Amino acid sequence: MPNIKSAIKRVKTSEARNAQNTMAKSAMRTAVKKVEAAVTVNDAAVAKEALVAAASKLDKAAAKGLIHKNAAARKKARLMKKINAM
């Protein structure tokens, strides 16, 4: 454990940011899984609603730097491709 005041603050802030990033990444993954589950069941209406939410989560994660912007674009494109193939 650090002794210097600024280092103590650094540890606290990094832990808080880590918790926020973990929650955002988990929510993003859950949103993507909901789309894939709806596609598996062939429920187009639910899949399209879930896609809107998942695209938003992916874009936010990319903006925050949790994932690369091209990775977000790739995931969105693959989800859209699955929905259009239904």
Side-chain angles (χ1 to χ4, degrees), residues 5 24 31 40 49 65 79:
K5 191 173 184 180
T40 304
E49 287 179 25
L79 290 174

Side-chain angles (χ1 to χ4, degrees), residues 5-41:
K5 191 173 184 180
S6 62
I8 292 169
K9 182 181 177 184
R10 231 340 107 211
V11 169
K12 282 185 182 178
T13 57
S14 66
E15 285 175 353
R17 285 181 180 181
N18 185 24
Q20 287 292 324
N21 290 341
T22 303
M23 285 179 9
K25 213 166 189 179
S26 177
M28 176 196 70
R29 288 190 192 119
T30 303
V32 170
K33 285 180 185 175
K34 283 183 182 177
V35 175
E36 291 173 345
V39 169
T40 304
V41 181

Side-chain angles (χ1 to χ4, degrees), residues 28 58 62 66-78:
M28 176 196 70
L58 285 164
L66 298 179
I67 60 172
H68 195 275
K69 65 175 187 166
N70 290 353
R74 182 179 66 241
K75 287 176 189 282
K76 288 193 305 184
R78 287 179 180 170

Side-chain angles (χ1 to χ4, degrees), residues 35-67:
V35 175
E36 291 173 345
V39 169
T40 304
V41 181
N42 284 332
D43 194 351
V46 174
K48 287 182 182 177
E49 287 179 25
L51 176 66
V52 172
S56 174
K57 299 267 187 196
L58 285 164
D59 287 335
K60 285 180 184 177
K64 291 177 183 177
L66 298 179
I67 60 172

